[in-house]
Every structure is written in C-alpha cells, then in structure tokens.
C-alpha cells in the first residue's frame, strides 16, 4: 500500500473539478509530509511539477491523472479505487538532461530538462552551430533553424515533430535532431549513448543570435551549451500496469 500521499492540481477548470471530487474521499497530506504525489492536469503541468521537485532537490514518485489535453505522461482520471491503483502502479525512472549554458555576455545557467533541450534561432537568419561529441568536433558548422537533444521520455514530443527518432524507454540513448537543417544537407541527426557529452558552440553569435530552451525555460543570446544526462537525480513516474510509459512510447512507432 502507498504511504502518505499529497495532491496537486493545475489551475485548469477540469483539474480543479477533479481535485474537488478527490479531496473529500481520501486522506491527503501536505506536500512536505508526503511519500508520493498525485498530479492532476496535463503533460505541461506534470513537467512543471517535476521541475519544481528538481529545484527543491526533493523528488517524490508521481502518479499523474489526465485533466489536460493530450496526457501522454498521465494515467486515466478515475475517482474510484485510487489507493489500489497507486499501490500496484509500475514505476519508471526518468533521467533528466542538464544544460550548462553560457551567454554572449558571460552569464552561466544550469538548467534541467525532462523532455529536451533545444537551440533555436532568434532572428530570420539561420543559426550556425559547431557540434562536438565528447569534445570531438563532429560538425564544423551546422546551418539550421535549430537543433535539439531529447531523452527517451521526450522523444515523442518536439523531437518527433522535428522528424527525430522515437527512443524506447530504457534504451540509454539520446536523440540529437536538427531542426530544418540547411547545411550539411544530408545530415538528419544521430543517436548517442546517454553518457555522451554534447556541446554546441554558436558561430557568429552576435550576428545570428540563438536561444536555448530547457523544456519550458529559455535563455537568450547564448554562446555555448554543454548537455549531459544527470543520473544523480532520477525522477519516478507511476503508471497503471496495463498502460505503462514504455508501452505508450513503443506504440507511437506504429501510429500513422
């Protein structure tokens, strides 16, 4: 059986209504006392909740229930038998990315990302990026609208929209995917081990400004970004046994 459970909900009307239904039926505790967390909302709210836990350096297992739009990372919302569902839920570990970002002005930012870290041009001019893998130059100059690095959990989000590959959960791989590449024309991205250090240096950064976005957080006018996998702070998502995250990701490969 689960331990002490906290409940959080997004501000969306559907999530607020669901919270009002659940609170009288179960003995929820304050977040500071909880052993696990139930989150009501959509994928964006779940990512926001996970980021807050990373910022506070206190990560709890999260059982999300969809009261948003897509809910790819969520379970179906049901009021009944909630404790039984949580008690038999399957855990999945997610290792976030870490972006070590330096701006043109010399500011340094360390940002986590659960889905992806993307570099995007800020103006009408193409970005020009040097790409290094484990400090070895692999592309001297990538001219593009941008590029992203995605985790398996995030590979079905922005990465898939940019024609990147779907990565099975547990594959220990990262997807390196260009966004509208212009040169070199034939480069369509790469799969790299999760332990890889991926560095992007921005060429002509003043003339061709680039921003870095870690999930929902943006840093503008960047000079260099080092992306690594942070295995020191794993996140745990809980899913109903008949609808796990690994199965959802696998099924995405057959949706046309």
């Amino acid at each position: 059986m689960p331990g002490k459970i906290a409940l959080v909900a997004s501000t969306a009307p559907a999530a607020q209504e669901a919270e009002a239904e659940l609170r009288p039926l179960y003995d929820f505790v304050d977040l500071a006392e909880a052993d696990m967390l139930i989150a009501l909302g959509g994928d964006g709210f779940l990512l926001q909740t996970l980021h807050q836990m990373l910022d506070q350096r206190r990560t709890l297992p999260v059982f999300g229930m969809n009261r948003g739009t897509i809910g790819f990372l969520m379970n179906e919302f049901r009021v009944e038998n909630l404790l039984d569902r949580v008690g038999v839920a399957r855990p999945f570990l997610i290792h976030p990315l870490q972006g070590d970002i330096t701006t043109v002005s010399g500011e340094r930012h360390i940002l986590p990302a659960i889905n992806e870290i993307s570099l995007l041009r800020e103006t009408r001019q193409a970005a020009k990026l040097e790409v290094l893998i484990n400090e070895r130059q692999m592309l001297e100059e990538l001219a593009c609208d941008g590029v992203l690095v995605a985790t398996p959990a995030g590979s079905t989000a922005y990465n898939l929209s940019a024609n990147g590959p779907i990565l099975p959960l547990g594959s220990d791989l990262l997807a390196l995917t260009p966004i509208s590449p212009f040169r070199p024309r034939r480069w369509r991205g790469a799969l790299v081990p999760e332990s890889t250090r991926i560095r992007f240096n921005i060429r002509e950064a003043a003339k061709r400004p680039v921003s870095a976005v870690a999930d929902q957080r943006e840093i503008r006018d960047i000079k260099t970004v080092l992306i690594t996998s942070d295995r020191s702070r794993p996140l745990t998502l809980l899913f109903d046994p008949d609808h796990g995250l690994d199965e959802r990701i696998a099924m995405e490969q057959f949706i046309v």
Side-chain angles (χ1 to χ4, degrees):
M1 291 295 291
K4 297 178 181 179
I5 303 176
L7 177 67
V8 295
S10 78
T11 57
Q16 292 293 304
E17 292 171 7
E19 181 182 18
E21 286 187 77
L22 289 173
R23 284 210 177 271
L25 301 177
Y26 302 97
D27 294 325
F28 296 111
V29 301
D30 291 337
L31 188 57
E33 306 172 23
D35 300 312
M36 66 155 295
L37 179 65
I38 292 176
L40 305 173
D43 291 334
F45 178 71
L46 181 63
L47 289 176
Q48 177 185 328
T49 300
L50 294 173
H51 274 286
Q52 288 173 350
M53 290 197 296
L54 288 173
D55 291 343
Q56 296 165 5
R57 297 191 176 275
R58 180 172 181 263
T59 58
L60 302 174
V62 180
F63 186 86
M65 289 199 289
N66 188 26
R67 291 286 83 189
T69 305
I70 298 175
F72 186 81
L73 299 174
M74 313 296 274
N75 297 281
E76 179 186 356
F77 174 73
R78 295 197 303 270
V79 173
E80 64 278 0
N81 302 322
L82 181 57
L83 297 183
D84 292 338
R85 290 176 69 192
V86 172
V88 299
R90 295 171 60 195
F92 290 89
L93 287 183
I94 304 294
H95 295 109
L97 299 173
Q98 177 176 280
D100 188 342
I101 303 165
T102 303
T103 67
V104 172
S105 63
E107 296 178 355
R108 186 183 179 196
H109 303 267
I110 307 294
L111 296 182
I114 297 155
N115 275 354
E116 76 279 316
I117 294 177
S118 55
L119 279 64
L120 304 168
R121 65 184 176 99
E122 296 179 14
T123 68
R124 57 183 173 78
Q125 291 186 302
K128 291 188 175 181
L129 313 173
E130 179 189 19
V131 181
L132 297 94
I133 300 296
N134 294 326
E135 303 305 332
R136 177 185 176 186
Q137 186 188 75
M138 304 304 289
L139 291 176
E140 180 178 0
E141 184 175 280
L142 171 63
C144 56
D145 280 356
V147 68
L148 63 86
V149 176
T151 66
S155 66
T156 59
Y158 190 8
N159 173 71
L160 183 59
S161 298
N163 296 315
I166 294 174
L167 304 179
L169 205 64
S171 63
D172 295 328
L173 294 172
L174 301 175
L176 176 55
T177 302
I179 303 169
S180 300
F182 178 65
R183 290 281 191 276
R185 286 191 182 275
R186 296 184 180 179
W187 191 67
R188 290 296 178 263
L191 296 177
V192 298
E194 190 182 57
S195 59
T196 302
R197 294 165 57 88
I198 305 169
R199 185 183 297 278
F200 301 103
N201 295 324
I202 314 306
R203 296 187 176 277
E204 303 177 39
K207 179 182 178 182
R208 302 171 183 271
V210 173
S211 67
V213 183
D215 287 342
Q216 301 154 336
R217 305 180 187 185
E218 180 183 27
I219 305 296
R220 297 180 68 84
D221 301 332
I222 64 172
K223 180 180 181 181
T224 185
V225 179
L226 173 64
I227 300 175
T228 55
S229 178
D230 184 0
R231 299 188 68 88
S232 67
R233 294 188 290 171
L235 297 162
T236 302
L237 297 182
L238 302 174
F239 289 89
D240 289 319
D242 59 346
H243 205 181
L245 183 59
D246 55 345
E247 296 172 0
R248 298 184 191 194
I249 291 176
M251 289 301 296
E252 283 289 317
Q253 299 178 85
F254 299 95
I255 295 176
V256 295

